[in-house]
């Protein structure tokens, strides 16, 4: 019986002083496992005289049970301790100062878009947005650009199927607004949107960019209304001392058509590298809405007229903020966008 008692004392002491669940598990395997001493004692029973066997067997079984229940109790105790330690470790110190989240800032293109929207809302315009994907019908046909018209060449680009494409100009939204509104008057809308064209990207070209279309239709809306409106816009965007000028141009959806220049904000019209020595910088295309466009949308060009313009948002942002490469808008380098915090 002696080895049983020695083993019991030794095992009890070790189990009592186990410091972790893993240590305890090792002890369980050590004492109660298949190759452990308890099992060895069981095996040794066969060599004992017959009358001693039952008592010895009983003692070994008692030892086994005792050790098992001690291990169980110790396990509960250690689990509790480990949980308490974990809770203690994970305690949050609510007196520590908070970590402030990193704040982003508006993208310069959004700043310009919003500025333009606010400016035109102030003049009584509605803001109407379109989709990136448009029908050929609105992008070209209704804009007086029939199939095979050479004006398509510059924009005949990213098709989804024969009649659907990524919008190449916000003029497509203008055509949808016209059709929806006909024959009601007046119309006064600006339509911001993303547009896409096949293009080789460089400092001044991007296959994706943003435009804002303006459209006013009423009973007697003239080119001088257009001029007053655009002058107001140029002064708001670039400063009160700006002048604008109209240059004759051609767009299939307007007649007459003009290109609009603003006096250079760097040299104030004297001539410098930014304006290539001319004193003027081109900012947009515009004109009186072509009678064919009005007719196709369901308006009578004898009874109403109007103007339209299309302004490039990147172009305005580049001029306004002195950005020299259109690709900066789309590469999303944080160091670039962060410089616009000052305009918030
Ligand atoms: N759609 C033209 C373009 O993408 C811009 C434009 C010019 C829009 C004249 C107009 C306009 O509404 O009247 O180049």
């Amino acid at each position: 019986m002696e080895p049983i008692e020695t083993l019991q004392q030794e095992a009890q002491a070790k189990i009592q002083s186990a410091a972790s669940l893993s240590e305890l598990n090792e002890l369980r395997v050590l004492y109660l496992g298949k190759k452990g001493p308890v099992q060895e004692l069981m095996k040794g029973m066969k060599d004992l005289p017959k009358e001693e066997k039952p008592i010895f067997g009983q003692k070994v079984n008692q030892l086994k049970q005792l050790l098992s229940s001690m291990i169980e109790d110790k396990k509960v105790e250690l689990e509790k301790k480990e949980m308490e330690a974990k809770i203690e470790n994970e305690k949050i110190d609510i007196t520590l100062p908070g970590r402030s989240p990193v704040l982003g800032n508006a993208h310069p293109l959004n700043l310009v878009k919003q500025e333009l929207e606010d400016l035109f809302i102030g003049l009584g315009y509605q803001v109407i947005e379109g989709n990136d994907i448009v029908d050929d019908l609105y992008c070209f046909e209704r804009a007086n650009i029939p199939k095979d018209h050479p004006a398509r060449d510059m924009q005949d680009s990213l098709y989804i199927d024969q009649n659907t494409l990524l919008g190449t100009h916000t003029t497509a939204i203008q055509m949808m607004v016209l059709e929806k509104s006909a024959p009601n008057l007046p119309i006064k809308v600006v339509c911001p949107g993303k547009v896409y064209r096949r293009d080789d990207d460089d400092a001044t070209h991007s296959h994706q960019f943003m435009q804002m279309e303006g459209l006013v239709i009423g009973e007697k809306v003239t080119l001088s209304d257009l001029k007053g409106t655009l002058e107001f816009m140029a002064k708001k965007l670039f400063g009160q001392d700006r002048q604008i000028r109209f240059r004759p141009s051609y767009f299939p959806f307007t007649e007459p058509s003009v290109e609009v220049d603003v006096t250079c904000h760097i040299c104030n019209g004297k001539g410098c590298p930014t304006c290539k020595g001319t004193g003027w910088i081109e900012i947009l295309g515009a004109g009186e809405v072509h009678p064919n466009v009005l007719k196709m949308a369901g308006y009578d060009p004898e009874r109403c007229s109007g103007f339209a313009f299309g302004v490039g948002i990147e172009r305005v942002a580049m001029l306004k903020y002195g950005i020299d490469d259109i690709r900066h808008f789309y590469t999303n380098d944080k160091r670039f966008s962060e410089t616009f915090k000052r305009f918030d």
Side-chain angles (χ1 to χ4, degrees), residues 155 169 171 174 197 211 213 251 253-254 285-287 308-310:
Q155 300 189 13
H169 53 180
T171 307
Q174 184 197 146
R197 292 177 197 177
Q211 288 186 327
E213 195 83 2
F251 297 104
F253 33 88
T254 43
F309 58 87

